[in-house]
Amino acid sequence: MTPIQMADVGIILPELFLAVSAMGLLMLGVFGRGRDTARTIAWGAVLVLAITAVMVMGMGGEVRVAMNGQFRTDGFTVFMKVLALLGAAAALVLSIDYFERAKIARFEYPVLVVLATLGMMLMISANSLMALYVGLELQSLALYVCASFHRDDVRSTEAGLKYFVLGALSSGMLLYGASLVYGFTGATGFDAIAAALHHGGENHGDGAHTLPSVGVVVGLVFVIAGLAFKVSAVPFHMWTPDVYEGAPTPVTALFAAAPKIAAIALFVRVLAGPFEHLVAQWQQVIVLVSIASMALGAFAAISQSSMKRLLAYSSIGHMGYALVGLAAGSQAGVTGIALYMALYLPMTAATFGILLCLRIDGQPVDRISDLAGLSRTRPGLAAALAVAMFSMAGIPPLAGFFGKLYVFLAAIEAGLTTLAVLGVLASVVGAYYYLRIIKLMYFDEPTVQFEAGQSTAVVAVISLSTAVTVLFIAMPSALIGPARLAAATLFGG
Amino acid sequence: MYAAVVFLPLLAALIAGFGNRALGDRGAQLVTSGSLILAAVLGIVVFIEVALGGQARTVEVLRWITVGSFDVSWALRFDTLSAVMIVVVTVVSACVHVYACGYMHGDPSVPRFMAYLSLFTFFMLMLVTSDNLVQMFFGWEGVGLASYLLIGFWYDRASANAAAIKAFVVNRVGDFGYALGIFGVFLLFDSVSFDAIFQAAPDKADATLSFLGMEVHALTVICLLLFIGAMGKSAQLGLHTWLPDAMEGPTPVSALIHAATMVTAGVFMVCRMSPLFELAPVALTVVTVVGAMTAIFAATVGLTQTDIKRVIAYSTCSQLGYMFFAAGVSAYGGAMFHLMTHAFFKALLFLGAGSVIHAMSGEQDMRRMGGIYRKIPYTYAMMWVGSLALAGMPFFAGFWSKDLILEAAYGAHSAHGLFAFWLGIAAAFLTAFYSWRLLFLTFHGAPRADRHTMDHVHESPLTMTVPLAVLAFGALFSGIVAYEWFVGHDRAQFWGAALFVAEGNDAIEAAHHVPTWVKLLPLIVSIAGILGAWLAYVLVPSLPGAVARALRPVYLFFLNKWYFDDLYDRLFVKPAMALGYGLWKSGDGAVIDGVGPDGVAAATRNLSRRAAALQSGYVYHYAFAMLIGVVVIVSLYLFTQGR
């Protein structure tokens, strides 16, 4: 065990800062006195996340490896980490007002979110199977608790339990797959695995393409299963609707964005890194998973009556679209994914923010039918929700259209025309339920009365997110440029 | 000024139509009637300058279509032929506009009615002043549209809607022929402009055309196709069925569109195309025979009708037959002459009938009239003038024109000319008979209406009686004044280049040299017809019933309009409805909707239910799904690539 080098500290500084801050916030919560502790700590956590984001951006795009090759930072990790941090911060902001109204405001929640975010950052930066697992578990454990945070509510605890049991199963699969890979390649580091697989391919044949051993591929499938669980891709998605519905709405908002971003980033890192020579093997798996996710996300959402379940299926569908970019296995595809996640984040944040603003008897609105006539009772929120729904449906000129455009273009360039066509068809079906919400809001009569009053912070999140969604077309290069750079470092190195 | 005649009615229609609410009833009436009176004055000036002064001219308005050698402009052609039509259309239309102000009083949508009337007038003027076939087709279709709108004006009546659709559809058949005719003209002449066609026509006299796989005489085919269009518009035998039903429209509409102007468009068109028809003798024979058949057919049906407006409608149909066989024997001047006089006296009869209906509180059935001549003497006198003109009594307008047509038919000395002559004589007898039958049934005898109606019988207001006087003036004097211009010694100078009669075909010249008995016969049979009607409906009122019983099959045959409507219903309407219904239910509903939108939507809904049902809520189901997923993916890999 070599001691930690000072140079390493510079590279892992954001993560170190986040870890230390989490502990500091915890101490503050435990020993703090006063009624507003929870609120103070929540805003403190938001500040910490923001500072970390700035520090991450300061890392720059060059490839640097630390901790004996366990940890890697480059343009891609920076891009994804910033997105994850923004997602977590937005979810925290959305939660403050809600938890206070629900009288379950506790200082542990922000601390858990910060710890989960730390796990996400470690996931994104993981450069070996070990680091991957540690990051994943750190994130997951924190999130299991978050899901059942409303511990007096039976649905919240059920959600937490389901999430935990199935998460444990997926972790087991991931570990089993990792051990198979280790067994057949003799390495845990991503670079070493890549080298071993590349080397192995050359030894067996005459320089032509040869098949890797079945063991490695089976191991890879298990690893993919574990990762697919985290992005809730079909058929590893089953937890998603139940957990989304059961968990308190701000927690659902957290689940919908940050962990998905981290998991997709990890997915890309693993498949494009150590297993890049097995493209032919994993591509068909990803294609299958992607088609299944897009189709199920589109079809199952239609018959939902709960807004949160609908958004669960919607996020399953969105992950399917993101995986289309991964299936392409090209730099263009990864650019598409980075852009897709960057645009998915504001749409999701805006949608959940709006749901949190619409309360009936203290609870955020969940029945879709309750949104009827919203354009008359709350024209501003209705317009914002309409923008988010149009964007999710992929209607130009809103941001969501460009996310889909880039991944589909990448898929077509990679020769996956069938996948792209199926994706477009699925988005046609999906458009139905997004447009139905808009129809309800604008053409039907109001049926319920929403409580007055909304938090300024939530409104700020909604406004900012909607602005990004609407104005993306005015300055697309602001996001497409960094996404290109991010993808380039992954493939350049 | 020339363009103003045509576009004033359009302007009025737009103002009255779109300013509907702002103007109100009175405003719309003033705008449209004022414009039309102005247009009528201008129209008379145009007639004097162009027809009497001999200054034919063409006013270019806009270029319209230029595709390859196909070049069409909006241009207004003013020669004697169009000047005659302009004066007829604007004067009758102005009378009808003024009349309608009184007749339509109290109707909830007066501005719409006035706008339609003016719009019709615009289209009709467009038709008669067009410089080429395509622009004429524009006017042709436009009057069809206006006719449709006006027949169905009372759109809350099912019968009015049915009649409007019938008129439109039957006219479509004719219009199809007309359109084909235009295509044929373009094929043959590479132009649709009248000047170019008429100039090139003699060179193409022997050209042939491949039609339905046969080599046929090109001009004959073209003229027959154009004549099919004329038959539709002018309600000639075969395509006449819409005209009687069109009486569902308000009476001013019947007077303007279905008596004086639109229905004569076919006659006008044949005259306009005289340079082509003159080179297609077979087509002329067909025109003669169809015209003569229509004249006698409509007259027989007119005998048995009991609706006052339908009697006049069949009379119109019959008189149009006269005009066609006049054109068919190359007496185009005679056809136009009768067209003009007929416009006056038939509009007079219709408006008079409207006045009667107005007086009788909306009653149209002659069996429930009678004995009202003392109460409305003015209307009664007007109806007498109209009927005398129709029957061709001396010195009334019809006398000059109708006799000339019959003389021309005789003077043509051809088999079809003689055929037309004898049928025309028979029809003249019947015309006089049913005209006086109408007069006697309506005005004489014992009152057959209920007391309440009889008490309310009253003379019409001034807005209705003044137009009657104007038209009566035309019915009295238009014949004697215009005789020399249209068909007399001045005719060559009068018509100028507007009409063309081939060498040796001049039936009008021949008409002036027929035996005396031919000149007298029409008058004799007409007087006989009047006396017959007097005998049957005044002297021995039981006679008609006895005759109808004795000749029951013939009576039924006439009463049921020679069974044309039933035949068409069986042959075309029912099968078309069945086909349409079948295609709608099974074709569109079951196949296209069922498999297409509805089917896809249902399948999606079904899939959606199944997909949502996968979510059972049990953790072990979820875990099972995950494991199965891994197994499926691994096996798939092993089966496809692991080998």
Side-chain angles (χ1 to χ4, degrees):
Chain A
M1 195 82 182
T2 33
I4 293 172
Q5 310 278 309
M6 275 316 284
D8 291 352
V9 175
I11 296 169
I12 61 168
L13 196 59
E15 281 78 9
L16 273 182
F17 171 74
L18 204 56
V20 172
S21 304
M23 284 177 246
L25 288 170
L26 186 62
M27 291 304 130
L28 202 65
V30 172
F31 296 109
R33 290 281 177 271
R35 296 212 330 257
D36 280 344
T37 320
R39 172 175 277 264
T40 314
I41 290 179
W43 281 112
V46 172
L47 187 69
V48 164
L49 291 171
I51 293 171
T52 314
V54 173
M55 290 168 80
V56 168
M57 281 194 264
M59 299 297 295
E62 60 192 285
V63 180
R64 284 191 281 179
V65 180
M67 313 291 285
N68 296 322
Q70 301 280 326
F71 187 93
R72 168 185 163 130
T73 168
D74 57 30
F76 184 74
T77 62
V78 168
F79 187 85
M80 288 310 218
K81 277 180 192 174
V82 171
L83 286 187
L85 286 163
L86 287 178
L92 258 184
V93 171
L94 294 184
S95 73
I96 297 168
D97 190 53
Y98 170 82
F99 279 137
E100 281 175 7
R101 281 179 197 273
K103 304 210 166 40
I104 51 170
R106 286 175 214 285
F107 70 86
E108 286 94 341
Y109 181 71
V111 175
L112 283 169
V113 171
V114 171
L115 286 173
T117 313
L118 179 61
M120 293 171 205
M121 292 176 69
L122 289 176
M123 279 162 69
I124 296 170
S125 273
N127 203 31
S128 79
L129 293 175
M130 305 277 263
L132 179 159
Y133 184 70
V134 170
L136 200 73
E137 283 306 288
L138 177 55
Q139 180 227 224
S140 300
L141 284 171
L143 292 183
Y144 299 149
V145 182
C146 288
S148 51
F149 196 73
H150 196 181
R151 62 185 184 197
D152 300 330
D153 181 58
V154 74
R155 306 213 311 154
S156 179
T157 46
E158 182 192 330
L161 187 65
K162 275 182 178 165
Y163 194 20
F164 176 66
V165 171
L166 296 171
L169 180 64
S170 83
S171 290
M173 285 182 178
L174 184 76
L175 268 184
Y176 182 58
S179 67
L180 278 177
V181 171
Y182 174 64
F184 280 88
T185 60
T188 56
F190 284 179
D191 304 329
I193 293 171
L197 289 174
H198 191 51
H199 210 61
E202 269 180 354
N203 271 354
H204 289 290
D206 312 322
H209 174 76
T210 52
L211 293 171
S213 66
V214 171
V216 174
V217 175
V218 173
L220 174 61
V221 169
F222 274 89
V223 171
I224 289 176
L227 293 174
F229 177 85
K230 295 296 172 198
V231 299
S232 59
V234 178
F236 312 102
H237 67 287
M238 305 287 279
W239 60 277
T240 319
D242 291 8
V243 172
Y244 269 47
E245 194 187 15
T249 307
V251 178
T252 312
L254 174 68
F255 284 177
K260 293 278 190 310
I261 292 165
I264 279 281
L266 182 57
F267 225 139
V268 173
R269 289 286 321 278
V270 169
L271 293 185
F275 297 106
E276 71 170 310
H277 300 296
L278 299 188
V279 172
Q281 278 71 44
W282 57 256
Q283 192 175 46
Q284 58 165 343
V285 177
I286 298 298
V287 167
L288 201 69
V289 167
S290 161
I291 291 174
S293 303
M294 291 187 293
L296 188 98
F299 281 104
I302 289 177
S303 52
Q304 301 304 322
S305 59
S306 149
M307 194 68 195
K308 275 156 83 182
R309 282 187 89 87
L310 181 134
L311 286 170
Y313 284 109
S314 155
S315 81
I316 292 171
H318 281 299
M319 289 307 123
Y321 295 118
L323 289 179
V324 169
L326 182 56
S330 62
Q331 188 170 335
V334 175
T335 307
I337 296 181
L339 188 66
Y340 201 96
M341 299 317 292
L343 298 174
Y344 170 72
L345 175 62
M347 296 189 289
T348 313
T351 310
F352 279 100
I354 291 159
L355 293 189
L356 285 165
C357 279
L358 300 171
R359 287 180 310 275
I360 306 165
D361 301 330
Q363 285 298 313
V365 63
D366 193 35
R367 280 221 310 276
I368 294 174
S369 54
D370 287 348
L371 291 173
L374 193 67
S375 63
R376 255 160 283 173
T377 50
R378 298 283 184 87
L381 287 178
L385 189 54
V387 166
M389 289 297 125
F390 273 129
S391 179
M392 285 198 184
I395 312 256
L398 298 171
F401 167 72
F402 293 96
K404 287 200 170 82
L405 179 68
Y406 275 83
V407 292
F408 288 149
L409 279 181
I412 290 168
E413 275 171 24
L416 301 172
T417 318
T418 318
L419 177 63
V421 169
L422 287 174
V424 171
L425 287 180
S427 76
V428 170
V429 176
Y432 168 77
Y433 58 82
Y434 295 126
L435 296 181
R436 185 166 64 116
I437 293 172
I438 294 169
K439 179 251 172 193
L440 269 175
M441 293 192 300
Y442 280 88
F443 297 105
D444 289 4
E445 293 298 321
T447 50
V448 292
Q449 193 68 39
F450 294 109
E451 280 174 30
Q454 44 205 342
S455 144
T456 321
V458 174
V459 172
V461 168
I462 298 170
S463 314
L464 202 65
S465 305
T466 307
V468 171
T469 310
V470 173
L471 297 179
F472 172 76
I473 187 164
M475 242 175 66
S477 57
L479 276 174
I480 294 177
R484 284 228 170 87
L485 284 178
T489 58
L490 200 64
F491 279 82
Chain B
M1 181 189 86
Y2 286 84
V5 177
V6 177
F7 289 103
L8 262 178
L10 177 66
L11 194 67
L14 292 177
I15 292 172
F18 291 106
N20 195 332
R21 290 200 175 72
L23 283 175
D25 288 5
R26 178 59 51 185
Q29 286 167 346
L30 283 177
V31 167
T32 52
S33 305
S35 308
L36 258 295
I37 290 168
L38 188 59
V41 171
L42 293 176
I44 291 167
V45 176
V46 167
F47 178 78
I48 291 168
E49 276 189 15
V50 172
L52 303 184
Q55 297 168 332
R57 66 183 72 190
T58 303
V59 180
E60 284 274 347
V61 183
L62 277 176
R63 291 181 73 79
W64 185 14
I65 309 172
T66 312
V67 181
S69 63
F70 187 71
D71 191 352
V72 183
S73 315
W74 294 102
L76 304 179
R77 180 191 177 98
F78 293 93
D79 58 8
T80 307
L81 196 57
S82 41
V84 169
M85 290 304 287
I86 285 171
V87 90
V88 168
V89 171
T90 52
V91 169
V92 175
S93 180
C95 290
V96 169
H97 270 76
V98 175
Y99 181 88
C101 295
Y103 188 82
M104 297 302 284
H105 180 74
D107 192 273
S109 36
V110 169
R112 182 163 65 91
F113 183 77
M114 300 310 284
Y116 285 169
L117 272 188
S118 295
L119 186 70
F120 165 79
T121 312
F122 163 71
F123 280 128
M124 190 66 204
L125 290 169
M126 213 59 197
L127 192 164
V128 299
T129 58
S130 71
D131 180 56
N132 56 65
L133 280 168
V134 176
Q135 188 185 336
M136 193 175 186
F137 193 65
F138 166 79
W140 193 268
E141 294 297 298
V143 291
L145 168 72
S147 160
Y148 166 81
L149 290 171
L150 284 165
I151 296 171
F153 177 74
W154 286 314
Y155 54 80
D156 46 358
R157 293 186 191 168
S159 59
N161 283 328
I165 292 169
K166 188 173 181 181
F168 208 76
V169 171
V170 174
N171 267 297
R172 245 343 24 83
V173 178
D175 294 347
F176 184 63
Y178 185 26
L180 284 180
I182 296 175
F183 302 156
V185 165
F186 185 66
L187 189 68
L188 195 63
F189 296 101
D190 202 28
S191 171
V192 291
S193 152
F194 290 144
D195 288 334
I197 299 169
F198 297 160
Q199 220 156 33
D203 303 335
K204 305 278 185 182
D206 300 317
T208 58
L209 207 60
S210 183
F211 182 75
L212 296 174
M214 296 176 289
E215 282 296 310
V216 287
H217 184 226
L219 285 175
T220 304
V221 172
I222 290 170
C223 288
L224 284 177
L225 288 171
L226 292 176
F227 179 59
I228 289 174
M231 280 171 69
K233 200 56 83 191
S234 296
Q236 292 302 287
L237 193 66
L239 295 178
H240 66 280
T241 53
W242 64 273
L243 185 59
D245 288 13
M247 297 303 126
E248 286 292 341
T251 306
V253 174
S254 310
L256 178 61
I257 301 184
H258 306 121
T261 56
M262 186 186 84
V263 289
T264 61
V267 180
F268 165 77
M269 194 252 276
V270 171
C271 293
R272 173 60 90 200
M273 302 308 286
S274 57
L276 295 194
F277 276 90
E278 280 300 298
L279 298 172
V282 179
L284 279 180
T285 309
V286 172
V287 173
T288 313
V289 171
V290 170
M293 294 285 287
T294 308
I296 187 78
F297 152 77
T300 56
V301 178
L303 287 180
T304 58
Q305 297 300 306
T306 54
D307 183 309
I308 184 167
K309 281 176 72 182
R310 280 179 180 259
V311 173
I312 310 179
Y314 276 106
S315 158
T316 306
C317 204
S318 165
Q319 296 303 309
L320 288 167
Y322 277 94
M323 295 176 212
F324 271 109
F325 76 68
V329 297
S330 300
Y332 302 106
M336 289 304 294
F337 189 28
H338 195 54
L339 187 158
M340 183 197 66
T341 56
H342 171 259
F344 287 115
F345 64 70
K346 192 51 68 65
L348 174 65
L349 279 174
F350 260 120
L351 294 186
S355 184
V356 170
I357 294 166
H358 189 76
M360 298 295 290
S361 315
E363 182 57 70
Q364 298 196 10
D365 193 332
M366 293 189 294
R367 286 171 299 189
R368 285 197 283 276
M369 296 183 182
I372 56 172
Y373 69 96
R374 276 195 198 83
K375 295 199 172 185
I376 44 173
Y378 179 78
T379 306
Y380 178 59
M382 290 299 129
M383 290 297 277
W384 262 91
V385 172
S387 298
L388 286 169
L390 173 61
M393 288 300 112
F395 314 115
F396 286 90
F399 168 74
W400 306 98
S401 55
K402 196 176 183 176
D403 279 17
L404 183 104
I405 286 175
L406 289 168
E407 288 157 16
Y410 181 84
H413 286 299
S414 53
H416 57 269
L418 277 179
F419 174 75
F421 173 73
W422 286 112
L423 288 188
I425 292 291
F429 170 77
L430 296 174
T431 304
F433 186 87
Y434 67 65
S435 296
W436 265 266
R437 170 177 175 263
L438 184 149
L439 278 178
F440 292 142
L441 277 178
T442 306
F443 293 100
H444 292 269
R448 292 181 295 278
D450 55 51
R451 271 190 68 95
H452 181 74
T453 310
M454 287 307 291
D455 291 344
H456 278 81
V457 172
H458 58 283
E459 194 58 85
S460 300
L462 215 56
T463 48
M464 288 167 69
T465 50
V466 171
L468 286 179
V470 173
L471 291 172
F473 185 80
L476 278 168
F477 299 111
S478 65
I480 195 162
V481 169
Y483 184 80
E484 289 298 317
W485 300 335
F486 277 71
V487 292
H489 299 300
D490 303 335
R491 68 181 191 282
Q493 189 205 343
F494 178 76
W495 290 112
L499 292 178
F500 172 80
V501 180
E503 205 71 36
N505 269 3
D506 195 349
I508 295 178
E509 188 56 42
H512 295 306
H513 308 290
V514 291
T516 316
W517 66 268
V518 174
K519 285 179 186 286
L520 286 178
L521 192 59
L523 185 61
I524 293 167
V525 295
S526 293
I527 291 171
I530 296 171
L531 289 176
W534 181 69
L535 184 74
Y537 291 95
V538 179
L539 217 57
V540 196
S542 60
L543 193 62
V547 172
R549 267 190 301 282
L551 299 172
R552 187 165 174 76
V554 178
Y555 172 74
L556 281 180
F557 187 63
F558 290 170
L559 183 69
N560 289 307
K561 306 160 236 174
W562 292 25
Y563 294 103
F564 263 103
D565 280 295
D566 305 74
L567 187 71
Y568 285 178
D569 196 48
R570 293 266 166 79
L571 272 184
F572 303 116
V573 180
K574 287 237 170 71
M577 288 287 276
L579 183 70
Y581 189 81
L583 284 178
W584 168 41
K585 283 292 180 192
S586 60
D588 188 52
V591 178
I592 295 180
D593 279 355
V595 176
D598 289 354
V600 170
T604 305
R605 210 177 296 258
N606 191 11
L607 262 177
S608 158
R609 254 198 311 278
R610 284 157 189 263
L614 285 177
Q615 206 70 25
S616 60
Y618 296 114
V619 172
Y620 60 90
H621 283 173
Y622 297 180
F624 182 70
M626 287 167 69
L627 289 174
I628 286 290
V630 170
V631 169
V632 166
I633 292 171
V634 169
S635 343
L636 199 72
Y637 168 72
L638 291 179
F639 274 107
T640 55
Q641 295 207 342
R643 280 168 293 168

